[in-house]
Amino acid sequence: MTFREIELADERIWLLAGGAVFLPETQTLVVADLHLGKGTSARTRGLLLPPGDTVSTLEKVQCLVEDYKPQLLIALGDSFHDVKAGERLLDIEKTMLRAIASQTSILWITGNHDALPVPEIAGEWLEDYRSGNLILRHIPSETVPMGKAELAGHLHPKIRMRIRGHTMSRPCFMKGPDRLILPALGSYTGGLDVTDPAFSSLFADGSAAYVWSADRISRVA
């Protein structure tokens, strides 16, 4: 298991290879922007994307649950790509969700794609959640209360890097003094480059990106 420990608002946070977060004090696993059902949504509009994105995404979540054995799994919004994504779930996808729910409690944070609870899905639905000094929500807020820190998703941060003459774009964590934005875990999700103005307003006091490889998580100022 590859992780890197950081601290926000006196709370320990493990950044996990793959783009999730683990809170060791409360044994909580946090993921963002699964966008389950994005492939089937595209196909209803005539875009013939290859099938399998929901299964692939749930496999990532299942592996994280098996590795870290959390007491609570929190999904930071846009877990389902649209309000009818639950209706389009295949039997194998429903089985995988039930298997995850049998191993840990699940808290679904509402997002802009899934602003209302998806019926017949195990778990509780909330707009945000407090864990110690941490506030967990989908869309980053403009300001964070003094002494608190925020974990959010929504922006799908990616960083463009040049390595050995090759330019590549990689998903990453974005960290500032009082907030952390998680990358999207969904298999069909895109990303927003960290140089985008949407990030500059959130990290006026400076930021760092964290990217992962097979054996380490590296900080990029």
Side-chain angles (χ1 to χ4, degrees):
M1 295 185 291
T2 301
F3 69 90
R4 178 163 178 161
E5 183 169 303
I6 62 170
E7 189 173 291
L8 283 174
D10 298 322
E11 300 281 357
R12 295 165 60 212
I13 298 171
W14 292 1
L15 308 180
L16 309 183
V21 155
F22 189 71
L23 308 179
E25 304 301 336
T26 57
Q27 298 292 293
T28 299
L29 178 67
V30 185
V31 297
D33 296 278
L34 303 178
H35 283 272
L36 303 176
K38 184 171 184 177
T40 54
S41 175
R43 288 196 289 278
T44 63
R45 303 192 308 274
L47 302 175
L48 300 180
L49 293 178
D53 62 301
T54 296
V55 168
S56 174
T57 300
L58 290 174
E59 284 175 344
K60 296 178 191 178
V61 177
Q62 181 69 60
C63 287
L64 287 165
V65 168
E66 291 175 354
D67 285 345
Y68 290 90
K69 298 176 174 54
Q71 295 181 14
L72 175 64
L73 167 65
I74 300 179
L76 293 182
D78 285 3
S79 303
F80 297 86
H81 190 64
D82 58 65
V83 293
K84 294 188 176 181
E87 300 174 13
R88 300 193 306 272
L89 288 174
L90 303 176
D91 287 343
I92 186 175
E93 296 161 353
K94 294 177 182 177
T95 298
M96 295 175 75
L97 278 167
R98 285 194 294 267
I100 293 169
S102 72
Q103 298 174 74
T104 181
S105 299
I106 303 178
L107 173 59
W108 305 99
I109 301 295
T110 55
N112 54 295
H113 280 258
D114 49 8
L116 297 174
V118 176
E120 300 181 9
I121 298 296
E124 184 180 2
W125 289 77
L126 293 174
E127 290 185 3
D128 56 40
Y129 180 75
R130 306 290 177 105
S131 177
N133 292 326
L134 301 177
I135 305 169
L136 292 85
R137 55 168 52 100
H138 177 59
I139 298 177
S141 60
E142 293 184 5
T143 58
V144 180
M146 184 71 68
K148 304 295 183 181
E150 179 181 84
L151 271 61
H154 183 59
L155 294 177
H156 306 193
K158 285 192 171 184
I159 186 170
R160 190 177 300 275
M161 305 175 67
R162 188 169 180 82
I163 301 175
R164 297 179 181 176
H166 298 279
T167 300
M168 62 185 70
S169 182
R170 296 282 308 279
C172 66
F173 299 94
M174 279 289 287
K175 176 187 176 296
D178 59 0
R179 74 171 82 237
L180 177 73
I181 299 181
L182 279 67
L185 199 72
S187 295
Y188 273 0
T189 50
L192 188 64
D193 192 86
V194 296
T195 60
D196 190 276
F199 290 106
S200 60
S201 62
L202 296 172
F203 296 100
D205 296 324
S207 64
Y210 288 82
V211 296
W212 59 88
S213 61
D215 60 352
R216 70 175 63 184
I217 298 174
S218 303
R219 181 182 184 274
V220 182

